[in-house]
Amino acid sequence: MNPDAIKVACSNCSLRELCMPVGLTPDEQDLLDELVANRRKVKRGVPLFSNGDDFIALYAIRTGFFKTSVATEDGRDQVTGFQMAGEIVGLDGIVGNHHTCDAIALEDAEVCVMPYNRIEDLSREVSALQTHVHKILSREIVREHGVLLLLGSMRAEERLAAFLLNLVQRLHARGFSQSELVLRMTREEIGSYLGLKLETVSRTFSKFADDGIVEVKQRHVRILNTQALRNIVNTPACH
Amino acid sequence: MNPDAIKVACSNCSLRELCMPVGLTPDEQDLLDELVANRRKVKRGVPLFSNGDDFIALYAIRTGFFKTSVATEDGRDQVTGFQMAGEIVGLDGIVGNHHTCDAIALEDAEVCVMPYNRIEDLSREVSALQTHVHKILSREIVREHGVLLLLGSMRAEERLAAFLLNLVQRLHARGFSQSELVLRMTREEIGSYLGLKLETVSRTFSKFADDGIVEVKQRHVRILNTQALRNIVNTPACH
DNA sequence: CGACACCTTGAAGAGGTTCAAGAAATGTGG
DNA sequence: CCACATTTCTTGAACCTCTTCAAGGTGTCG
């Protein structure tokens, strides 16, 4: 028996409140339990989808950790985000019916496959889902605004501080520590996301460690002084 | 008689194909003619909406030119985009029911006000509108991916070249010249958008002019060699 | 016509990159 | 389970791009 064929129902899922609208009637809940077609496992390093792939579904991350990235013709690429449990990927595919970025698992992962035509059909019946889909799309736009601000106006230390605060805040919302985290991505991937070279990321980590703000041991990071990180983000320049 | 009260109908609007779904039945077209509540004029320098404003509508630009920008607590701000006729602004407001950026007219402008609750209601009836709204949101996400790539991995000359090519391409799609344009924004606003200082923008314009790629006279720009601009964008570094 | 905003250009300086080497962790195959 | 190859990370030193500071020029609007 294929484990992917096991009936999946959002109503029983612990991540429901991250992925799905809340306050549904039982009837609506039954309808939405038809939304997820199946689950799909993605091994570390493997793309969930790639630039150019046909767009057929959005994916809700159940477990694991992804990065999304876009590329130029001449081979440079830019990490556009890191996604964790409860977050939705694939939104880039709606406009042109094919994906325009890569989504790659940074650790073994499992996603819920939500075929886009089901989303459209159910959205017309369940207005809470319609609103929810709009909000997910809008949230991604607002998130990217934040990244633009980071890339356009912050210096290296501010970028890394903002990155750490954002990660730990999202992890905390999922029940993890407020002060300790394990990075699932390399220095190079962090650098790509933050518009820095990997050496700069490494140096900035070392500086934070020297200043007693964090403890860094490879990918294990412990935040010793959250307020100091916040101050770094809110301080335009040193002089 | 208040000119704002004149009945507006998308079916007669020359920008219809930029704002609205195509291939509607006459019945659907009639329904969608109820979408725009009214039009609103916005004087140069005046915000269409501001960070913190209640979100009530999306706006389709009829005439004029806007910038959108986000701000940090400590007063820095970042231009997130420039919008022209046929483009939709206000998408940032959906997720939290209030706007998180400013949209400011860079020249006297007029917009069509599309109350969000009407959009939701009509989207459930007219599936072409539903798809269209999703595509508009997704398009904005993909657009921002491009800006992330620009900010994260390009040098000053590449950024400005990409900016000019993008602007002229969008203007051309609206019937303007492929090679000539009038910038509606200051060097500082361009710089904010591109993650550069205004002096760098000015110097880079001068360099392009020296190289015979463009003619620049204040805000009037004539592109003399489009291919050279394309080559600049696709050349990672000089060595 | 005068005040103000905007743009250009120069020179010095800083932040981040590049290049390079070595150390630490991770994975692989015997 | 260990030896070895590979990837990842750290650190130093020189360099370069962009910024900062400054001054003067140009255009625009009341």
Side-chain angles (χ1 to χ4, degrees):
Chain A
M1 178 172 161
N2 176 1
D4 282 357
I6 290 176
K7 176 70 184 167
V8 294
C10 296
S11 47
N12 300 322
C13 178
S14 62
L15 295 168
R16 187 179 65 243
E17 291 178 10
L18 290 169
C19 304
M20 285 289 138
V22 294
L24 298 173
T25 66
D27 282 358
E28 290 176 329
Q29 189 57 256
D30 287 348
L31 280 170
L32 290 206
D33 278 344
E34 299 299 317
L35 185 53
V36 174
N38 62 308
R39 292 193 185 143
R40 184 172 147 196
K41 290 185 191 294
V42 188
K43 282 278 176 198
R44 178 179 165 192
V46 173
L48 171 60
F49 56 80
S50 300
N51 183 16
D53 285 359
D54 284 345
F55 169 69
I56 42 175
L58 299 180
Y59 304 94
I61 300 172
R62 252 182 74 78
T63 61
F65 203 90
F66 285 82
K67 69 167 177 180
T68 47
S69 60
V70 291
T72 52
E73 298 159 22
D74 56 306
R76 280 176 289 181
D77 70 7
Q78 169 72 28
V79 172
T80 54
F82 298 107
Q83 294 83 18
M84 58 180 73
E87 298 179 331
I88 311 292
V89 291
L91 307 173
D92 62 291
I94 297 173
V95 61
N97 289 315
H98 58 82
H99 288 286
T100 57
C101 68
D102 299 332
I104 294 173
L106 295 180
E107 59 182 5
D108 291 357
E110 191 178 23
V111 300
C112 299
V113 179
M114 304 181 290
Y116 180 63
N117 54 18
R118 289 197 196 180
I119 294 175
E120 287 208 313
D121 292 346
L122 283 169
S123 284
R124 286 194 296 275
E125 295 183 56
V126 182
S127 75
L129 178 62
Q130 179 193 38
T131 299
H132 191 67
V133 170
H134 288 174
K135 283 185 192 291
I136 285 169
L137 285 154
S138 177
R139 178 178 299 124
E140 177 65 8
I141 290 169
V142 171
R143 182 191 75 79
E144 291 190 6
H145 282 175
V147 184
L148 294 183
L149 186 60
L150 182 145
L151 290 174
S153 75
M154 293 187 184
R155 36 202 24 269
E157 288 184 29
E158 298 177 79
R159 294 183 194 191
L160 190 62
F163 170 74
L164 288 174
L165 288 171
N166 174 271
L167 261 192
V168 84
Q169 174 250 309
R170 283 155 66 201
L171 288 166
H172 186 53
R174 285 156 181 79
F176 294 96
S177 166
Q178 289 195 54
S179 60
E180 228 163 322
L181 68 159
V182 177
L183 301 170
R184 309 258 91 120
M185 69 295 280
T186 66
R187 300 288 190 263
E188 185 168 23
E189 287 162 338
I190 297 172
S192 172
Y193 180 62
L194 299 179
L196 301 169
K197 293 295 157 185
L198 69 94
E199 295 94 327
T200 306
V201 174
S202 180
R203 273 186 250 273
T204 308
F205 268 127
S206 298
K207 174 161 192 317
F208 285 174
D210 287 350
D211 294 350
I213 298 171
V214 300
E215 261 175 41
V216 183
K217 207 173 185 182
Q218 299 289 123
R219 299 197 179 180
H220 295 259
V221 177
R222 175 177 302 179
I223 297 173
L224 302 174
N225 189 343
T226 304
Q227 193 53 51
L229 286 180
R230 293 207 189 100
N231 292 343
I232 288 168
V233 176
N234 289 319
T235 306
C238 39
H239 43 89
Chain B
M1 178 169 160
N2 176 2
D4 282 358
I6 291 176
K7 176 72 184 169
V8 294
C10 297
S11 47
N12 301 322
C13 177
S14 63
L15 293 168
R16 187 179 65 243
E17 291 178 9
L18 290 169
C19 305
M20 285 288 136
V22 293
L24 299 173
T25 66
D27 282 358
E28 290 176 329
Q29 189 57 256
D30 286 349
L31 280 169
L32 259 54
D33 279 344
E34 298 299 317
L35 185 52
V36 173
N38 61 307
R39 293 194 183 141
R40 185 173 145 195
K41 291 186 190 297
V42 188
K43 282 277 175 199
R44 177 178 167 194
V46 173
L48 171 59
F49 55 80
S50 300
N51 183 15
D53 285 358
D54 284 345
F55 169 68
I56 41 174
L58 300 180
Y59 305 93
I61 300 172
R62 251 182 75 77
T63 61
F65 203 90
F66 286 82
K67 69 168 176 180
T68 49
S69 61
V70 292
T72 53
E73 297 160 24
D74 56 305
R76 279 175 290 182
D77 69 8
Q78 169 72 29
V79 171
T80 54
F82 298 106
Q83 294 82 19
M84 58 181 73
E87 298 180 331
I88 310 293
V89 291
L91 306 173
D92 62 290
I94 297 173
V95 61
N97 289 314
H98 57 83
H99 288 285
T100 57
C101 66
D102 299 332
I104 294 174
L106 295 180
E107 58 182 6
D108 291 357
E110 190 178 25
V111 300
C112 298
V113 179
M114 304 181 288
Y116 181 63
N117 55 17
R118 289 197 196 179
I119 294 174
E120 286 209 312
D121 292 347
L122 283 170
S123 285
R124 286 194 297 274
E125 296 182 55
V126 181
S127 76
L129 179 63
Q130 179 192 37
T131 299
H132 191 68
V133 170
H134 289 175
K135 283 186 192 292
I136 285 169
L137 285 153
S138 177
R139 178 177 299 126
E140 177 65 7
I141 290 169
V142 172
R143 183 192 73 80
E144 291 190 6
H145 281 176
V147 185
L148 294 183
L149 185 60
L150 182 145
L151 289 174
S153 75
M154 293 186 184
R155 35 198 33 265
E157 289 183 29
E158 297 178 80
R159 294 183 195 191
L160 189 62
F163 170 74
L164 288 175
L165 288 171
N166 174 270
L167 260 193
V168 84
Q169 174 250 309
R170 284 155 65 203
L171 288 167
H172 186 53
R174 285 157 181 79
F176 294 97
S177 167
Q178 290 195 54
S179 61
E180 226 163 322
L181 69 159
V182 176
L183 301 170
R184 310 256 88 122
M185 69 295 279
T186 67
R187 300 290 190 261
E188 185 167 22
E189 287 161 339
I190 298 172
S192 173
Y193 179 63
L194 298 178
L196 302 169
K197 293 296 156 185
L198 70 94
E199 295 94 330
T200 306
V201 174
S202 180
R203 273 186 250 272
T204 308
F205 268 128
S206 298
K207 174 162 193 316
F208 285 174
D210 288 349
D211 294 349
I213 299 171
V214 299
E215 261 175 41
V216 183
K217 207 172 186 183
Q218 300 290 125
R219 299 197 178 180
H220 294 259
V221 177
R222 173 178 304 180
I223 297 173
L224 303 173
N225 189 342
T226 304
Q227 193 54 51
L229 286 179
R230 292 208 188 98
N231 292 342
I232 288 169
V233 175
N234 289 319
T235 307
C238 40
H239 45 86

